[in-house]
Amino acid sequence: MAKRDRSDRILTDWDRVFDALADPSRRYVLEYLHDRSEPASVWDLAVALAVRTTDLPPDEVDVQVVQQAEVGIVHVHLPKLQAADLVESAEDGVFLTEHAETLPLFTPAYRGVVRPVGDEEERREL
């Protein structure tokens, strides 16, 4: 059995990572942050999530829907993503950690999992 040097490798709590990735909203937050070149505010994340869930343009989404998304982000999604060491928060916003960047989360195959096929008939064809 070969010995592996783990001194400079990140040890991952996979249960936390899988728990964080289990929710489509959290996967979307990760994808949204990955596609940005700068940190995002919680409000920006809430607007993006509200737009995604309502399928409306940002200027047509009801403020209450965005506020509900913001509550979910602050109290549920960010804590789980932070516990999995996938995002960090700072004064300038929320951003992906280096650890998140090392995981194969943003490959074309993963993005195919994140964006499910539209209707039941299309899924059967796959």
Side-chain angles (χ1 to χ4, degrees), residues 1-9 11:
M1 183 190 251
K3 289 186 178 182
R4 294 184 179 171
D5 180 14
R6 295 184 177 193
S7 60
D8 51 328
R9 292 175 51 185
L11 298 178

Side-chain angles (χ1 to χ4, degrees), residues 99-114:
H99 180 238
E101 296 286 356
T102 66
L103 298 175
L105 299 176
F106 309 107
T107 63
Y110 174 80
R111 287 185 181 253
V113 172
V114 171

Side-chain angles (χ1 to χ4, degrees), residues 25 28-29 32-33 36 40-56 58 61 66 69 73:
S25 295
Y28 180 73
V29 166
Y32 181 82
L33 292 171
R36 293 177 54 95
S41 70
V42 172
W43 185 257
D44 289 342
L45 290 172
V47 169
L49 196 55
V51 165
R52 183 172 188 262
T53 57
T54 62
D55 205 24
L56 294 171
V61 176
V66 178
I73 288 169

